Amino acid sequence: KDSALLIRKIIDSLPETQRRIMLMRDVDGYELDEIAQIMGSEGSAVRVNLSRARKTVRDRFITMNNAFNRME
């Protein structure tokens, strides 16, 4: 439960475009082409933004989780 809350906070801190794309893809289940159409963007830009968003979430989660574990 704590991990899910932390991940949600990290997602909420992403730049708006990355946050919207990540939520559409990973929560709502839209296909990349659908997201590109909705966003008025190229498919390649959607893929890059999604990749960057996921990397940011992963990296921040690992960093914060490691810091928390060191405190215990």
Side-chain angles (χ1 to χ4, degrees), residues 6-51:
L6 178 57
I7 289 170
R8 183 60 201 205
K9 286 184 179 198
I10 295 168
I11 291 170
D12 288 345
S13 75
L14 291 171
E16 180 66 17
T17 300
Q18 290 181 10
R19 185 183 66 76
R20 286 183 63 204
I21 289 171
M22 186 172 203
L23 291 175
M24 281 192 274
R25 178 68 178 139
D26 295 336
V27 175
D28 299 329
Y30 284 95
E31 296 296 325
L32 294 175
D33 292 338
E34 292 174 305
I35 297 170
Q37 215 171 15
I38 292 167
M39 301 286 293
S41 181
E42 295 292 324
S44 58
V46 170
R47 283 189 296 280
V48 167
N49 275 294
L50 180 59
S51 177

